[in-house]
Amino acid sequence: MKALCIVDAEKSEVRDVEPMTMGPDDVVVQVSYVGFCGSDLNTYMGKNPLVQLPRIPGHEASGFIVEKGANVSADLKIGQSVILWPYSACGHCSSCRAGRYNACRYNETLGVQRDGALREKMVIRADCVVPNDSLSPKRQVLVEPLSVGFHAAARGRTQAGETVVVLGCGMIGVGAIMGAASRGARVIAVDTSTDKEAIAKLAGASEFLSLSGEDLVKKINELTDDNGANVVIEAVGLPITFTTAVDIACFCGRVVYVGYSKAPVTYETKFFNLKELDIMGSRNAMREDFDAVIAALLKMGDDMDKLITKTFPLDEAADVLPYWEKNKNDVLKLVVEL
């Protein structure tokens, strides 16, 4: 069975791997498409501390059930089109006991802490597939990455009529824009690359800014009658965007960090108190976020295809991450067809 393997830093190859063993609670999925995430690029660059190499990437995946274990419900049928649920949950930690399985302390995401789905066939627990017939298999790979942004919008308790600023218009930022817009918010998208404006507005942003630092703070104040944003979603992961999020949030506003900075961040912490901010982290997604994304994509119609930058065949999968590394400003989503 063929699979893509990240062998070492800046080295990946399509290789033959042993088929996975199916248990009574598992299904075998014939994988159709796999999308690449920024975490995969970091793994390829040797910058992902959560990954031990070699690793098969792939947590944005779609396919068809071709075999099922003895204990699998009759509701899941051979030939069923499914989206893979890439996370795990122990069921016992404080997050799981609170019903927030997306933030399980012991989560192992496909392609990160365990080998992923960029292989011809994937064995996975039956409760980790999401049946879907409303989207094509290629479009299904958009659901998981967008759901991370949708979850961030939900974490921010985004409401209709509020002003939401999304910092960063990569795939997660686009999901946050879509998620906030679907809740009826006015969304101001921010990215230093003006090439992201069309996608940001397609996703639902009413305004797009390519400013940063003090210039951005000044403009946000102008656009909000000097109040600031009700919700700020940080989807970049740089110290400057972490601190800017606090600066542009209104008094009693909410700040949601879905990106994470790889360098230390220094804050003027008085604004936490003076503004009485709610400052939240956001991790992964919930099943209801998947449902919300699917509904939003269906409303978008054929325009959703604009979210996919390029598709590669499996035999060329080893070229995908080098391509992304060389074309970072031009890539939103790269996909492999198996």
Side-chain angles (χ1 to χ4, degrees):
M1 179 175 66
K2 289 184 178 180
L4 177 69
C5 186
I6 301 174
V7 181
D8 206 342
E10 300 194 44
K11 183 180 179 182
S12 59
E13 63 184 29
V14 176
R15 57 167 58 171
D16 288 323
V17 297
E18 291 294 322
M20 302 174 71
T21 302
M22 185 186 72
D25 300 310
D26 299 330
V27 294
V28 180
V29 175
Q30 181 78 47
V31 179
S32 299
Y33 291 89
V34 175
F36 280 90
C37 173
S39 63
D40 298 318
L41 182 59
N42 284 332
T43 298
Y44 173 75
M45 297 293 293
K47 297 178 180 179
N48 192 338
L50 301 177
V51 174
Q52 293 184 345
L53 299 177
R55 176 67 74 224
I56 297 172
H59 60 267
E60 306 168 2
S62 66
F64 296 88
I65 296 174
V66 294
E67 193 174 349
K68 50 189 283 190
N71 296 341
V72 176
S73 167
D75 292 339
L76 286 178
K77 304 182 186 304
I78 302 299
Q80 173 70 59
S81 175
V82 294
I83 304 166
L84 269 58
W85 180 257
Y87 319 120
S88 68
C90 71
H92 305 294
C93 71
S94 58
S95 303
C96 290
R97 292 198 306 272
R100 292 165 65 176
Y101 301 101
N102 61 297
C104 174
R105 180 176 181 176
Y106 304 106
N107 168 66
E108 292 186 345
T109 299
L110 290 177
V112 184
Q113 293 93 346
R114 53 186 170 138
D115 280 338
L118 218 164
R119 62 179 88 208
E120 292 176 292
K121 289 183 179 180
M122 180 74 191
V123 175
I124 192 167
R125 279 178 36 173
D127 60 359
C128 288
V129 296
V130 180
N132 174 262
D133 294 314
S134 60
L135 298 172
S136 69
K138 185 175 181 179
R139 291 170 169 179
Q140 286 173 348
V141 300
L142 295 170
V143 174
E144 192 280 336
L146 291 173
S147 72
V148 177
F150 267 68
H151 185 69
R155 283 283 288 151
R157 304 189 302 278
T158 303
Q159 299 178 36
E162 291 188 317
T163 296
V164 177
V165 174
V166 176
L167 302 176
C169 296
M171 200 63 178
I172 292 174
V174 168
I177 294 168
M178 290 176 65
S182 70
R183 288 168 169 261
R186 168 203 184 189
V187 184
I188 302 171
V190 180
D191 198 287
T192 55
S193 172
T194 56
D195 294 339
K196 302 291 182 64
E197 181 172 3
I199 287 294
K201 289 188 173 178
L202 174 67
S206 57
E207 291 120 315
F208 178 88
L209 304 175
S210 58
L211 304 172
S212 63
E214 290 301 319
D215 292 335
L216 177 59
V217 175
K218 181 179 179 180
K219 187 64 177 178
I220 293 297
N221 286 335
E222 288 178 5
L223 293 171
T224 59
D225 296 325
D226 205 33
N227 287 310
N230 302 101
V231 182
V232 183
I233 300 174
E234 196 285 338
V236 179
L238 293 174
I240 188 173
T241 47
F242 264 64
T243 56
T244 298
V246 170
D247 294 337
I248 64 179
C250 70
F251 276 65
C252 294
R254 286 96 70 195
V255 175
V256 182
Y257 292 123
V258 63
Y260 64 91
S261 176
K262 299 171 185 64
V265 181
T266 302
Y267 284 99
E268 188 74 58
T269 59
K270 67 181 181 182
F271 294 117
F272 296 2
N273 308 89
L274 291 176
K275 292 186 176 184
E276 199 173 50
L277 296 174
D278 289 351
I279 299 177
M280 293 163 279
S282 183
R283 183 183 182 191
N284 297 334
M286 303 283 279
R287 288 294 180 99
E288 53 261 37
D289 298 313
F290 267 44
D291 295 337
V293 170
I294 291 167
L297 286 172
L298 291 172
K299 286 184 179 179
M300 187 180 285
D302 290 341
D303 280 342
M304 75 178 86
D305 293 332
K306 296 176 182 178
L307 301 179
I308 297 175
T309 307
K310 188 173 182 178
T311 303
F312 294 74
L314 176 59
D315 288 345
E316 297 176 15
D319 300 329
V320 177
L321 293 168
Y323 176 88
W324 193 355
E325 182 187 357
K326 293 176 183 177
N327 299 276
K328 288 181 182 177
N329 293 332
D330 301 322
V331 168
L332 184 62
K333 178 58 58 183
L334 300 175
V335 173
V336 169
E337 180 179 7
L338 286 91

